[in-house]
């Protein structure tokens, strides 16, 4: 959390990111903040990765910690229930040109392809292009993005899914890492796609 | 002159012997004492169902009224024993049905019980009163229905943490309308709903019902109505405690609970919501036993509850109680004898749950009568263990699970040898011990030297060499059950201390370095041990040097068992044969 605060102070910003400013400002803002963010995300990524790998290694040891399966199952059921009931990560989704916004629960999806499929069905479009780290969603008319805690529009797919989800769960009470989804269309999309 | 004590006098004297250990000692004095004792024993306990044949037991104790059996090794609780290993109740039920029709009570732990077994019980024992199944599996609610409907004098029906094929809540309707004998009913492990009206009617006609443990499907809104029909309850296990209630319902529930003037034990409390804690205030001052291990209540709400339980002797909670909560327990629960703190599975990095070694230190300081502990914690220190030992030399059962394998003292980075040394040195009455964290052979030398009354020891991820096992087997005189997993020792200690194994009930070793050759040697050396090799991925050939996945060694007068599945081999006594597998279903 402190990391975020410090970096925010040193960030170069030319104005509030918004629909009209995305291309120019977006370019600069995203480039700057992207590099900052990348560093940040890499750190956090590593942190979360070690956490997940620790968790994984814990999970892999059969019968450890020594808790009766009866008890484990009952606690897990409760966790799942409470996850669904109170910890669903609800975000607004907007699509350029659509008359109204939708809301989805991110915790229902297993990964980006799952999420994208759901969005495609919801808004009746298709992303088209393949995601690649280098080119983003090249050749696509539609680009899925999300607004993060700093107010920047980030391309969906850069950060590994479980890192993004990990962030979301971690910051549940304070601020969801991913506040809004937006499906950008047309020229804006192309711009974002190519400058990443 | 006949110098023998008259049989009648002996019989009368022996009738005062309740404890089976005493009876066992008495029966070894001479033949006439053996005969007298066996004719008078009513409660029979068999700690390992494969140690002796059902027929022998049935014949030996003609006055048997109660039979307690244990099946699978303890580590089966943690999925270390593959399904289908064994522990079948059927041969016992069959033998008793044929020879001991006056049997009234059957208590089984970690056994496979089928509907056929339950139907046989219902059909064979006309005075049957009490069925208690703990951690059992293999039966469905149909079997329970058979017992409920046929056993006219049924007093206790308890299913504790069993895995049941739940075909619906109908089984409850099978209690005849005329039956009024029920004293204890525990169906907390079943999933499906029972009909409220059936349950209400059963309660209304059971004036002797002292213990009732509902399952989670019984919702909070019906609890008041149930309790009004059973104000004499001494033990209550509620159903779910999280459903929404309006103020009137809350007030009715509060009143109903306050009417339970004899209530001493409270459990269930599934998903207890903080706003419902005040509902329990009226029962707290009388409680001697409280099980919150399924209540996801956190701090500080737990304090409101615990600070009112001044008579508490037994407390089971989750680590959500944190150090702060345990401090409250130390201050308020001066009668505490048993504490269990289970892991909630909350990722302790993400939440603010702080349960450390300090919590246990506080309780050991404040609760002078504390003698039994099960504590799951992420990390520990030697200093804490030394304090705990100094505070509480009266421990009889000390089970510490440091959840990070090989975790050293997090302050000094030293192994936890010195800490556990303090425990075994000071707690001279220690019967049961579970160790964890980073431990060298030294720790086991200390245990071997000091833990003279130790009966059961559980070890995981510890030790350096064979010395570790040698210390234990040569030092712990009263050791009865030893279970070890993932420790780096092998054959030498096992073979050197082979004779010791016949003085013990059982030894379990998994993921250690025991070789097949050693198993063979051991089996040949010790005719009255069954050496079972449990191997789900057996190699194509088995040279003597090949390591064995798991072994389970137990003393027996019944020879190799006949019901081994394909992944279990009993090492044959005949060296040429190697292993025998006599599988009969």
């Amino acid at each position: 959390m402190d990391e975020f605060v410090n970096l925010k102070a040193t960030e170069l910003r030319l104005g509030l990111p918004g629909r009209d400013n995305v291309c120019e400002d977006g370019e600069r803002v995203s480039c700057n903040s992207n590099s900052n963010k990348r560093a940040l995300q890499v750190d956090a990524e590593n942190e979360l990765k070690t956490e997940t790998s620790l968790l994984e290694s814990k999970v892999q040891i059969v019968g450890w910690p020594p808790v009766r399966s009866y008890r484990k199952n009952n606690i897990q059921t409760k966790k799942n229930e409470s996850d669904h009931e109170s910890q669903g990560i609800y975000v607004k989704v907007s699509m350029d040109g659509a008359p109204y916004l939708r809301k989805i629960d991110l915790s229902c999806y297993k990964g980006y392809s799952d999420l994208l499929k759901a969005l495609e069905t919801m808004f009746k479009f298709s992303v088209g292009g393949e995601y690649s780290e280098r080119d983003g969603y090249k050749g696509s008319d539609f680009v899925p993005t999300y607004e993060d805690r700093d107010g920047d529009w980030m391309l969906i797919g850069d950060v590994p899914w479980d890192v993004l989800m990990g962030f979301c769960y971690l910051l549940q009470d304070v601020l969801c890492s991913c506040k809004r989804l937006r499906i950008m269309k047309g020229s804006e999309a192309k711009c974002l796609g190519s400058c990443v | 002159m006949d110098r023998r004590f008259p049989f009648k006098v002996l019989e009368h004297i022996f009738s005062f012997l309740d404890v089976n250990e005493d009876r066992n000692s008495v029966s070894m004095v001479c033949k006439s004492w053996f005969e007298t004792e066996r004719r008078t024993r009513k409660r029979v306990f068999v700690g390992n169902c494969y140690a002796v044949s059902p027929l022998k037991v049935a014949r030996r104790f003609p006055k048997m009224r109660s039979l307690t059996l244990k099946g699978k090794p303890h580590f089966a609780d943690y999925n270390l024993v593959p399904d289908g290993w064994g522990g079948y109740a059927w041969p016992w039920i069959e033998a008793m049905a044929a020879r001991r029709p006056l049997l009234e009570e059957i208590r089984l732990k970690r056994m496979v019980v089928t509907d056929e077994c339950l139907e046989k019980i219902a059909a064979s024992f006309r005075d049957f009163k009490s069925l208690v199944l703990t951690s059992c599996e293999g039966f469905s609610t149909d079997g329970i229905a058979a017992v409920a409907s046929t056993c006219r004098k049924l007093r206790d029906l308890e299913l504790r943490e069993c895995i049941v094929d739940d075909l619906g809540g109908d089984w409850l309707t099978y209690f005849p309308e005329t039956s009024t004998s029920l004293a204890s009913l525990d169906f907390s492990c079943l999933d499906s709903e029972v009909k409220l009206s059936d349950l209400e009617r059963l309660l209304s006609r059971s004036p002797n019902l002292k213990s009732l443990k509902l399952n989670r499907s019984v919702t909070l809104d019906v609890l008041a109505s149930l309790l009004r029909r059973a104000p004499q309850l001494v033990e209550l296990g509620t159903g779910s405690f999280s459903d929404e209630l309006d103020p009137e319902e809350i007030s009715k529930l509060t009143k109903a609970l306050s009417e339970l003037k004899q209530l001493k034990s409270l459990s269930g409390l599934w998903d207890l919501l903080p706003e419902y804690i005040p509902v329990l205030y009226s029962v707290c001052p009388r409680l001697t036993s409280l099980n919150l291990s399924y209540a996801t209540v956190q701090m500080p709400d737990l304090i409101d509850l615990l600070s009112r339980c001044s008579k508490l002797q037994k407390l089971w909670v989750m680590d959500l109680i944190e150090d702060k909560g345990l401090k409250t327990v130390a201050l308020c629960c001066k009668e505490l004898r048993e504490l269990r703190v289970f892991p909630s599975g909350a990722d302790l990095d993400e939440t603010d749950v702080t349960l450390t070694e300090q919590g246990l230190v506080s309780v050991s300081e404040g609760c002078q009568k504390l003698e039994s502990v099960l504590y799951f914690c992420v990390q520990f220190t030697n200093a804490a263990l030394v304090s705990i030992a100094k505070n509480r030399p009266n421990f009889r059962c000390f089970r510490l699970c440091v959840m990070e394998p090989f975790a050293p003292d997090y302050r000094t980075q030293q192994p936890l040898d010195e800490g556990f040394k303090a425990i075994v040195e000071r707690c001279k009455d220690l019967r049961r011990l579970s160790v964890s964290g980073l431990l060298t052979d030294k720790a086991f030398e200390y245990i071997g030297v000091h833990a003279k009354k130790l009966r059961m020891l559980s070890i995981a991820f510890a030790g350096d060499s064979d010395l570790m096992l040698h210390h234990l087997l040569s030092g712990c005189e009263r050791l009865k059950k030893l279970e070890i997993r993932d420790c780096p020792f092998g054959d030498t200690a096992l073979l050197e201390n082979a004779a010791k194994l016949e003085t013990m009930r059982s030894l379990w070793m998994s993921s250690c370095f025991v070789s097949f050759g050693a198993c063979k040697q051991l089996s040949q050396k010790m005719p009255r041990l069954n050496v079972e090799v449990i191997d789900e991925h057996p190699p194509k050939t088995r040279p003597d040097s090949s390591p064995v996945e798991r072994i389970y060694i137990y003393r027996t007068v019944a020879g190799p068992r006949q019901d081994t599945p394909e992944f279990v081999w009993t090492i044959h006594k005949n060296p040429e044969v190697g292993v025998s597998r006599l599988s009969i279903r």
Side-chain angles (χ1 to χ4, degrees):
Chain A
M1 285 265 268
D2 290 342
E3 297 165 323
F4 281 113
V5 169
N6 287 338
L7 277 157
K8 220 177 149 96
T10 57
E11 233 171 58
L12 284 175
R13 297 178 53 131
L14 295 180
L16 291 173
R19 281 179 72 171
D20 299 319
N21 296 335
V22 161
C23 198
E24 292 162 16
D25 294 343
E27 213 179 301
R28 260 175 280 184
V29 171
S30 22
C31 282
N32 275 341
S33 51
N34 260 351
S35 57
N36 288 336
K37 270 197 185 8
R38 282 254 163 80
L40 196 73
Q41 274 155 1
V42 164
D43 283 343
E45 228 175 294
N46 286 337
E47 244 177 57
L48 275 160
K49 267 202 183 123
T50 29
E51 263 179 44
T52 13
S53 59
L54 253 179
L55 270 168
E56 273 165 11
S57 62
K58 275 178 201 161
V59 165
Q60 272 158 21
I61 303 177
V62 174
W64 192 264
V67 176
R68 280 193 183 169
S69 21
Y70 175 83
R71 182 172 289 282
K72 259 197 198 143
N73 295 339
N74 278 288
I75 303 287
Q76 242 157 36
T77 330
K78 281 200 304 203
K79 263 186 104 185
N80 291 339
E81 278 174 21
S82 65
D83 278 347
H84 283 303
E85 279 161 18
S86 59
Q87 285 184 30
I89 304 175
Y90 288 94
V91 290
K92 289 186 197 169
V93 188
S94 65
M95 167 137 153
D96 293 356
Y100 49 82
L101 281 69
R102 303 294 300 270
K103 222 168 194 184
I104 59 170
D105 178 1
L106 284 182
S107 61
C108 291
Y109 303 105
K110 297 191 197 99
Y112 284 124
S113 47
D114 220 12
L115 172 64
L116 287 175
K117 270 197 208 105
L119 291 176
E120 285 175 341
T121 319
M122 209 182 245
F123 289 99
K124 306 200 181 11
F125 74 102
S126 85
V127 172
E130 280 264 315
Y131 170 78
S132 72
E133 203 179 283
R134 192 157 163 258
D135 301 319
Y137 291 90
K138 187 173 181 177
S140 173
D141 272 344
F142 293 92
V143 176
T145 61
Y146 67 94
E147 183 188 21
D148 75 357
R149 52 194 299 115
D150 295 332
D152 299 317
W153 289 105
M154 311 293 298
L155 188 69
I156 283 183
D158 282 338
V159 176
W161 177 260
D162 38 309
V163 174
L164 182 69
M165 282 295 106
F167 256 130
C168 291
Y169 278 111
L170 196 73
L171 305 167
Q172 184 76 6
D173 291 343
V174 183
L175 201 66
C176 182
S177 172
C178 165
K179 282 169 31 183
R180 289 171 72 157
L181 257 63
R182 178 181 159 201
I183 300 159
M184 293 180 177
K185 188 178 161 187
S187 52
E188 290 172 20
K190 291 218 169 71
C191 179
L192 189 65
S194 56
C195 78
V196 165
Chain B
M1 185 180 122
D2 190 342
R3 290 212 189 92
R4 282 176 302 179
F5 239 53
F7 168 78
K8 283 284 166 212
V9 178
L10 260 184
E11 201 181 48
H12 181 70
I13 297 175
F14 288 175
S15 68
F16 291 103
L17 292 174
D18 288 328
V19 178
N20 274 354
E21 264 189 38
D22 294 337
R23 282 184 165 269
N24 290 343
S25 309
V26 143
S27 64
M28 289 196 288
V29 168
C30 63
K31 226 174 163 126
S32 75
W33 281 41
F34 177 88
E35 285 298 312
T36 312
E37 191 284 314
R38 79 174 185 87
R39 285 178 208 286
T40 56
R41 193 184 299 209
K42 293 217 172 83
R43 306 184 64 85
V44 175
F45 171 83
V46 179
N48 173 6
C49 65
Y50 290 120
V52 61
S53 81
L55 190 59
K56 253 199 171 151
V57 175
R59 283 203 188 126
R60 181 173 166 186
F61 301 109
K63 287 269 165 63
M64 190 196 315
R65 294 289 177 269
S66 163
L67 176 64
T68 303
L69 293 173
K70 292 190 181 181
K72 299 186 203 175
H74 173 240
F75 270 1
D77 282 354
Y78 316 129
N79 297 334
L80 291 177
V81 178
D83 277 340
W85 171 85
Y88 303 104
W90 176 255
W92 289 87
I93 311 279
E94 199 186 21
M96 298 308 149
R99 286 168 188 79
R100 298 284 156 247
L102 295 180
L103 194 60
E104 293 175 357
E105 175 178 78
I106 294 179
R107 307 173 76 96
L108 305 175
K109 188 167 186 179
R110 273 185 226 109
M111 294 193 77
V112 177
V113 181
T114 57
D115 282 348
E116 214 185 358
C117 293
L118 296 176
E119 283 153 18
K120 188 82 169 164
I121 291 175
S124 316
F125 306 110
R126 64 154 206 263
D127 286 336
F128 196 71
K129 293 198 172 68
S130 178
L131 181 66
V132 178
L133 303 177
T134 308
S135 301
C136 292
E137 53 173 3
F139 59 103
S140 78
T141 40
D142 283 350
I144 304 172
V147 172
S149 65
T150 320
C151 303
R152 302 269 140 184
K153 298 190 186 171
L154 194 64
R155 195 187 58 204
D156 310 312
L157 177 59
E158 295 179 29
L159 308 171
R160 302 178 184 174
E161 296 190 355
C162 294
I163 300 176
V164 185
D165 186 8
D166 195 334
L167 305 170
D170 276 347
W171 61 272
L172 194 66
T173 62
Y174 282 80
F175 283 103
E177 291 292 325
T178 49
S179 87
T180 57
S181 50
L182 209 56
S184 164
L185 177 63
D186 180 350
F187 61 97
S188 51
C189 64
L190 298 181
D191 285 323
S192 56
E193 271 184 56
V194 294
K195 253 170 75 182
L196 177 63
S197 52
D198 293 332
L199 191 49
E200 283 177 340
R201 273 205 304 278
L202 181 62
L203 297 184
S204 300
R205 66 173 188 276
S206 304
N208 298 316
L209 191 71
K210 292 280 190 290
S211 171
L212 175 64
K213 299 198 179 158
L214 307 166
N215 69 355
R216 209 165 166 187
S217 327
V218 176
T219 50
L220 197 53
D221 51 317
V222 309
L223 187 59
S225 152
L226 293 171
L227 296 181
R228 277 196 291 275
R229 288 167 169 77
Q232 74 283 2
L233 281 180
V234 176
E235 289 181 354
L236 170 64
T238 72
S240 145
F241 229 89
S242 61
D243 315 290
E244 275 191 42
L245 295 183
D246 61 48
E248 197 194 329
E249 286 173 311
I250 295 180
S251 127
K252 281 195 179 143
L253 180 57
T254 313
K255 181 158 194 298
L257 278 164
S258 68
E259 296 293 314
L260 302 177
K261 302 289 184 206
Q262 308 202 43
L263 195 71
K264 292 223 163 57
S265 162
L266 186 60
S267 59
L269 302 170
W270 305 90
D271 313 315
L272 174 63
L273 291 178
E275 49 261 41
Y276 293 148
I277 289 183
V279 160
L280 302 171
Y281 286 168
S282 61
V283 300
C284 289
R286 290 187 286 272
L287 283 183
T288 57
S289 167
L290 179 58
N291 184 348
L292 290 168
S293 61
Y294 296 106
T296 40
V297 188
Q298 298 187 299
M299 293 295 285
D301 303 305
L302 274 174
I303 291 191
D304 299 326
L305 198 55
L306 295 169
S307 55
R308 289 173 158 81
C309 298
S310 54
K311 291 225 176 92
L312 211 57
Q313 294 179 18
K314 176 169 137 176
L315 176 63
W316 289 20
V317 269
M318 287 200 275
D319 54 15
L320 304 169
I321 192 174
E322 300 186 53
D323 290 345
K324 304 177 245 169
L326 288 175
K327 245 201 159 118
T328 308
V329 171
L331 281 171
C332 303
C333 307
K334 293 299 187 189
E335 298 294 313
L336 198 69
R337 283 155 172 69
E338 178 181 325
L339 174 68
R340 293 197 191 188
V341 181
F342 295 98
S344 59
D347 199 329
L348 298 179
D349 291 330
E350 290 184 9
T351 64
D352 286 324
V353 173
T354 29
L355 181 87
T356 70
E357 74 279 8
Q358 199 44 49
L360 189 53
V361 173
S362 315
V363 180
S364 70
E365 265 166 19
C367 302
Q368 312 243 323
K369 299 189 182 174
L370 188 66
E371 55 179 32
S372 172
V373 162
L374 170 61
Y375 201 76
F376 283 83
C377 192
V378 176
Q379 46 192 17
F380 231 79
T381 62
N382 280 312
L385 280 169
V386 171
S387 294
I388 291 167
K390 280 207 178 111
N391 292 333
R392 272 307 44 82
N394 45 324
F395 274 130
R396 288 169 72 98
C397 170
F398 188 79
R399 296 160 73 191
L400 175 65
C401 179
V402 177
M403 292 198 281
E404 190 62 41
F406 308 115
D409 175 328
Y410 71 90
R411 287 199 201 279
T412 65
Q413 298 308 310
Q414 294 298 304
L416 291 178
D417 297 345
E418 296 303 311
F420 280 107
K421 176 187 184 198
I423 295 279
V424 292
E425 246 182 347
R426 297 227 172 210
C427 306
K428 306 236 184 286
D429 266 337
L430 200 63
R431 307 268 152 135
R432 185 168 177 184
L433 177 65
S434 299
V435 297
S436 53
L438 183 65
L439 296 167
T440 70
D441 287 343
K442 257 229 159 284
F444 300 98
E445 186 188 334
Y446 299 143
I447 296 176
V449 166
H450 295 286
K452 292 306 182 190
K453 293 222 174 126
L454 197 64
R455 310 243 168 140
M456 182 170 176
L457 178 59
S458 312
I459 308 171
F461 306 106
D464 308 312
S465 72
D466 273 57
L467 261 183
M468 159 197 167
L469 185 61
H470 177 71
H471 287 313
L472 294 173
L473 293 179
S474 56
C476 299
E477 290 155 5
R478 297 282 192 96
L479 197 60
K480 285 276 168 289
K481 288 197 287 187
L482 181 56
E483 46 187 24
I484 307 178
R485 63 165 294 181
D486 294 275
C487 294
F489 69 84
D491 307 335
T492 326
L494 205 55
L495 292 170
E496 259 174 33
N497 294 282
K500 170 77 175 175
L501 297 179
E502 226 185 75
T503 67
M504 292 167 55
R505 186 189 294 171
S506 66
L507 167 60
W508 168 277
M509 289 194 291
S510 54
S511 308
C512 301
F513 297 156
V514 182
S515 74
F516 185 59
C519 293
K520 283 198 289 186
Q521 275 186 280
L522 185 63
S523 184
Q524 282 140 36
K525 214 172 167 181
M526 308 296 301
R528 283 180 302 197
L529 289 184
N530 272 356
V531 179
E532 285 188 13
V533 170
I534 301 165
D535 222 330
E536 282 181 290
H537 310 104
K540 288 212 163 54
T541 55
R542 242 196 242 279
D544 282 0
S545 57
S546 63
V548 164
E549 244 178 51
R550 296 169 249 229
I551 51 170
Y552 185 48
I553 302 167
Y554 54 91
R555 66 178 172 190
T556 178
V557 292
R561 58 184 173 112
Q562 312 284 320
D563 58 3
T564 47
E566 55 184 19
F567 52 82
V568 176
W569 292 263
T570 309
I571 307 257
H572 208 278
K573 304 301 167 189
N574 183 341
E576 272 145 42
V577 175
V579 286
S580 74
R581 202 198 300 129
L582 311 154
S583 305
I584 300 171
R585 268 289 164 187

